[in-house]
Amino acid sequence: MMIYHPQRQDGFALLMSLIVVGTVVSVGLTVLDITLKQLRLSTGSRDSEIAFHAANAGAECLRFWRQDKQDEFETGTHPLTINCFGGDLNLDFFDLNNNTYLYTGEFSWSPAPNDNRCTLFTVMTINPDNVAVTRNDMRTHLPGYPDTDKTCAALGRCTIISVQGYNRNCLPSFPVGTVQREVLLEL
């Protein structure tokens, strides 16, 4: 006669439950990680767009006023006020010699506490008389300028507009996480 001894299967259901729960938790954590990365990516993209549009709008406004107030920019008129984004901007003025003038300014787009973008700008006009003018200090006055030198032909006019846009309000210093985009125009 044969005696049958069943094998013990105590704990098998517990083991299977732990395997299933572990798999579900693993998949859940992976999906959460992907979701958080996508959220960071989309937030960075949004902040970059805000900064770029702040710079681009500032460049377009300055380009308009550079053409509209051509004589004032070329003769170093100051104080000089322009109207951008629904508000008057008083431009700071610097005479760099050799008929070269530098105008700077900044604009926060919305009132506190909801400030969400900033535009800083610099406009340099070079208006040589009878001889060409070469400036070799361009990066000093326009840090994003690609060359150190700029030559403007005799009796010509050169204008460089540099605009930085930020996804935060204009402060003395920008907090960590601030995104900057720059637009540089040569007219």
Side-chain angles (χ1 to χ4, degrees), residues 41 43 65 154 176:
L41 183 63
T43 300
W65 285 109
V176 173

Side-chain angles (χ1 to χ4, degrees), residues 28-157:
L29 289 176
T30 301
V31 169
L32 178 64
D33 183 53
I34 291 170
T35 302
L36 290 175
K37 286 180 182 175
Q38 290 294 323
L39 183 62
R40 273 188 243 123
L41 183 63
S42 66
T43 300
S45 179
R46 182 200 67 209
D47 290 345
S48 181
E49 283 291 316
I50 289 171
F52 173 74
H53 288 298
N56 191 46
E60 290 299 322
C61 181
L62 289 166
R63 196 172 73 129
F64 169 80
W65 285 109
R66 170 62 179 94
Q67 185 173 353
D68 191 64
K69 293 188 179 229
Q70 178 175 326
D71 292 338
E72 289 91 336
F73 275 102
E74 292 176 6
T75 58
T77 301
H78 62 283
L80 184 59
T81 301
I82 61 175
N83 185 301
C84 288
F85 323 118
D88 286 340
L89 301 173
N90 298 314
L91 306 182
D92 296 324
F93 172 78
F94 304 93
D95 186 346
L96 302 179
N97 301 324
N98 293 329
N99 290 329
T100 303
Y101 308 109
L102 193 72
Y103 294 91
T104 63
E106 71 177 46
F107 186 78
S108 282
W109 286 64
S110 60
N114 297 320
D115 294 332
N116 59 1
R117 63 189 99 173
C118 171
T119 301
L120 302 178
F121 54 86
T122 304
V123 178
M124 178 185 279
T125 59
I126 306 170
N127 308 299
D129 291 327
N130 295 323
V131 294
V133 171
T134 299
R135 296 213 52 104
N136 57 6
D137 59 353
M138 294 302 290
R139 287 191 182 149
T140 301
H141 303 295
L142 301 166
Y145 197 74
D147 297 317
T148 55
D149 299 338
K150 172 70 177 170
T151 300
C152 194
L155 301 174
R157 285 182 275 167

